[in-house]
Amino acid sequence: MSGKKSTEVADLLQQGWAARELTNNRLDDAIRKYAESVLKDNKELSGLQAQAGASETLNSDANGMFGTEGQKKVQEAATLLHKLQSAVIVEKNAKESAQELKRFAADLRKYDSEAADIRRAIANKYDYCNREYTQASALKKKYEKMAADRRALENALKREAAVAHDVLLEAQKVFSQFEAVNKAVRDMNVMAANRKQAEAIRKQITEYKQEIDGKWANKFWPQEYSALMQKTEQALRMSDAQLIEEAADIQGQLNTFSSRLIARIAQWEQEKQAALDAERKAALITEEGFVDAVDFSNDGDAAERIKLFEYIPYYKECDAEQRYNDKYSKATQMMQAENFVEAKKLYEEAGNIASEARDIALALQESTIKTTQLTEAICDVMEKDLHYDVEITEINGHDCADGLRLVCKAGDEIIDFTRIDYDEQGNPVVDIDHTESYSGNCRASWKDITKALRKNGIPITDVRLSATGESVLADSVNHTANKRQEQITSYQ
């Protein structure tokens, strides 16, 4: 028994490396983003709680003037303040995420060093690699566990960020309500204190009138606002005795209208902001960048990023952009009509379409990068190690979305890697069409080619004739010069 082969060890190392690459930078960026979101929301919550201050109480005159209604307002303000001050955002994972990322980075350097040691150990070995296989298997599990840990941290932070944002939105709503109710209590005290003096009452009525923003009032309740302003003008022209008698009613109406208007403005702004947030989130997804496989091969992380709806059509037909634009356009119309609730719903639907398209783009990006890397690896061996003239071309005019073709020539010998691609399960597939030299003197035997490919980390397990299924690596197969043969490499 020859034990585990170096190709099996190399395959395990490649699997571990794949787990490392697919979760490294993307998840780290997501973790940082969610952590920053939690900390930012908590800072804003603390600011609101500090800004709220204390709830107002009624003085004796106001308590006698407004009675149960006034006490209800006082209790309502105290309840809202307690609710605001009790709001808490949990930021445990957010605070610990930076240290976790440092730990991940340190472990990653350690694992990469272990992988390099294993590769050096199998560099000049073909079989009897049981110890290295065990080490590679353990290392693969480490990489996979790190990927799982990163995903778990990302998911925890994502949930923490969502909850934090919901807490903040609720706190903002409560703060607006508290401000309105607290102001109402303050106004009651002012009215009661000024009731004995008609001029003071007139001044107060005038102030209340001025506090109401006419533009907003006419926007929401034009008829009610007009009637209230007429009644206010009549009150200001009353005799002192009549004004003292009717002041509480007119001031109460002004105060109630003002409070309702403040609450309505807050609701309008909150609904508008929610729609704008949904719009921004949807638009941000379409601005995400993806890399062309060749650019990534040449420039790495510095490769130019292509926007989502420019990237997908380069590789395949997709109606996502049209569906996104339809939803986005309808949402914009709803925004113009100030139907913010419906606009938010449509923007969120547009965002869901963009998210689905992003998943397609990520899958295309991963597949094309892997295909390009495999093709370039084979190309380097055939050109630099075996000295063939090489040419890489696209298949079906879709860059490498349908795989790549590599043609290698040496004199009249042609080795045509007609398709280099990955199947739906993520396994590499390479089809080869070999036209042997008419002189019978091929540049390299398939055993030499296979050996060179394996040496460079390309785990070819066999090369077989497509017509008979026989292995061209076996000594029993006869090769005749000037004979066209079809071969397929198989990977495991």
Side-chain angles (χ1 to χ4, degrees):
M1 297 295 290
S2 60
K4 297 294 183 179
K5 297 180 174 57
S6 60
T7 55
E8 294 175 284
V9 177
D11 186 49
L12 278 178
L13 291 174
Q14 182 61 30
Q15 292 176 35
W17 186 259
R20 174 197 190 280
E21 288 299 290
L22 291 177
T23 62
N24 189 9
N25 293 332
R26 183 185 68 78
L27 286 181
D28 284 2
D29 291 342
I31 288 168
R32 293 188 185 93
K33 180 187 72 175
Y34 290 133
E36 290 170 359
S37 176
V38 171
L39 297 175
K40 177 177 176 292
D41 286 351
N42 194 41
K43 182 178 180 181
E44 291 187 22
L45 173 62
S46 298
L48 286 176
Q49 292 170 332
Q51 186 180 347
S55 60
E56 296 286 343
T57 58
L58 291 176
N59 59 37
S60 59
D61 290 336
N63 192 46
M65 179 176 179
F66 294 102
T68 302
E69 179 188 355
Q71 290 302 322
K72 286 181 178 179
K73 287 291 183 183
V74 171
Q75 183 59 45
E76 183 181 358
T79 300
L80 288 170
L81 180 61
H82 177 73
K83 185 176 181 180
L84 176 63
Q85 299 297 354
S86 299
V88 176
I89 288 179
V90 178
E91 55 181 6
K92 178 179 181 297
N93 289 319
K95 286 184 175 180
E96 296 175 356
S97 61
Q99 193 61 36
E100 283 296 294
L101 289 176
K102 290 181 181 179
R103 182 177 66 81
F104 286 148
D107 288 346
L108 197 61
R109 289 191 295 271
K110 179 181 176 182
Y111 299 162
D112 289 348
S113 177
E114 291 178 25
D117 291 341
I118 295 172
R119 288 192 181 92
R120 284 193 291 271
I122 65 171
N124 297 311
K125 295 171 67 175
Y126 174 71
D127 50 15
Y128 293 103
C129 297
N130 288 357
R131 183 170 65 86
E132 290 84 357
Y133 184 90
T134 299
Q135 293 172 340
S137 178
L139 181 59
K140 173 177 171 287
K141 292 178 180 178
K142 291 178 182 179
Y143 276 128
E144 290 172 343
K145 183 180 183 303
M146 173 173 288
D149 290 345
R150 270 194 167 96
R151 292 190 189 97
L153 179 57
E154 181 202 21
N155 289 333
L157 278 169
K158 185 177 182 180
R159 292 190 296 269
E160 194 170 271
V163 171
H165 198 60
D166 288 343
V167 170
L168 178 60
L169 289 177
E170 179 63 17
Q172 290 171 337
K173 177 181 175 181
V174 171
F175 178 81
S176 296
Q177 294 171 342
F178 169 74
E179 287 284 86
V181 174
N182 218 33
K183 181 179 182 298
V185 175
R186 287 195 301 270
D187 292 341
M188 289 178 182
N189 286 328
V190 171
M191 284 189 287
N194 291 336
R195 186 168 185 175
K196 295 178 180 179
Q197 296 183 0
E199 287 300 320
I201 293 174
R202 290 189 181 96
K203 179 181 178 182
Q204 193 69 55
I205 290 175
T206 302
E207 290 176 354
Y208 281 170
K209 175 184 175 183
Q210 293 173 345
E211 285 179 358
I212 297 174
D213 191 319
K215 181 182 68 175
W216 287 103
N218 279 314
K219 180 182 183 65
F220 297 126
W221 309 303
Q223 293 180 347
E224 183 180 354
Y225 174 64
S226 176
L228 181 60
M229 291 300 100
Q230 290 179 13
K231 189 172 184 178
T232 301
E233 291 299 325
Q234 292 173 0
L236 291 173
R237 292 193 296 269
M238 290 177 182
S239 65
D240 290 347
Q242 187 180 8
L243 179 60
I244 292 172
E245 182 180 349
E246 300 184 17
D249 176 59
I250 185 62
Q251 288 179 321
Q253 290 186 45
L254 285 168
N255 181 61
T256 299
F257 186 88
S258 178
S259 298
R260 286 173 53 216
L261 183 60
I262 290 172
R264 183 65 183 91
I265 293 171
Q267 178 188 0
W268 185 92
E269 291 177 340
Q270 184 178 351
E271 290 176 353
K272 180 180 180 181
Q273 188 58 50
L276 290 172
D277 288 344
E279 176 190 18
R280 178 181 57 80
K281 290 178 181 178
L284 281 176
I285 296 174
T286 67
E287 294 296 318
E288 290 188 23
F290 303 86
V291 295
D292 174 76
V294 175
D295 290 345
F296 183 78
S297 176
N298 293 333
D299 303 327
D301 290 337
E304 180 182 358
R305 303 285 163 166
I306 304 171
K307 291 182 179 179
L308 176 62
F309 289 133
E310 295 175 8
Y311 182 81
I312 295 178
Y314 189 67
Y315 296 101
K316 63 183 295 184
E317 294 182 0
C318 180
D319 66 347
E321 182 177 13
Q322 181 61 48
R323 292 188 293 118
Y324 172 87
N325 288 336
D326 288 345
K327 294 289 185 183
Y328 197 93
S329 176
K330 292 177 182 177
T332 301
Q333 292 173 9
M334 291 297 100
M335 287 292 288
Q336 293 171 349
E338 295 190 358
N339 188 347
F340 301 131
V341 174
E342 182 64 20
K344 176 177 178 288
K345 176 184 174 184
L346 290 168
Y347 280 131
E348 287 174 344
E349 291 175 0
N352 291 336
I353 294 171
S355 293
E356 293 172 3
R358 175 176 58 190
D359 291 341
I360 294 173
L362 287 171
L364 281 170
Q365 179 177 252
E366 178 186 351
S367 175
T368 55
I369 288 175
K370 288 170 63 178
T371 298
T372 300
Q373 289 173 339
L374 178 59
T375 303
E376 290 178 343
I378 296 173
C379 180
D380 285 346
V381 172
M382 298 302 291
E383 180 181 24
K384 297 177 181 179
D385 295 359
L386 301 177
H387 309 297
Y388 282 83
D389 294 327
V390 297
E391 180 182 6
I392 298 175
T393 58
E394 302 170 358
I395 297 176
N396 298 331
H398 289 109
D399 197 36
C400 54
D402 296 322
L404 290 172
R405 179 183 180 187
L406 171 63
V407 179
C408 306
K409 297 179 180 180
D412 59 353
E413 178 193 7
I414 301 175
I415 299 178
D416 189 349
F417 294 80
T418 57
R419 175 172 170 252
I420 303 174
D421 203 355
Y422 281 80
D423 62 21
E424 293 181 355
Q425 289 71 41
N427 300 314
V429 177
V430 182
D431 295 342
I432 305 173
D433 183 354
H434 184 191
T435 301
E436 296 187 352
S437 170
Y438 287 100
S439 67
N441 296 318
C442 291
R443 174 64 54 86
S445 70
W446 273 107
K447 286 187 176 181
D448 291 337
I449 293 173
T450 302
K451 181 178 180 181
L453 291 172
R454 288 173 177 169
K455 182 179 178 182
N456 285 272
I458 305 171
I460 287 185
T461 59
D462 201 358
V463 181
R464 297 180 180 274
L465 297 174
S466 62
T468 66
E470 291 182 281
S471 172
V472 301
L473 302 181
D475 294 335
S476 61
V477 177
N478 295 320
H479 304 284
T480 304
N482 305 319
K483 179 181 178 182
R484 181 181 180 84
Q485 299 180 2
E486 301 279 337
Q487 293 124 3
I488 297 177
T489 62
S490 66
Y491 289 73
Q492 295 180 354

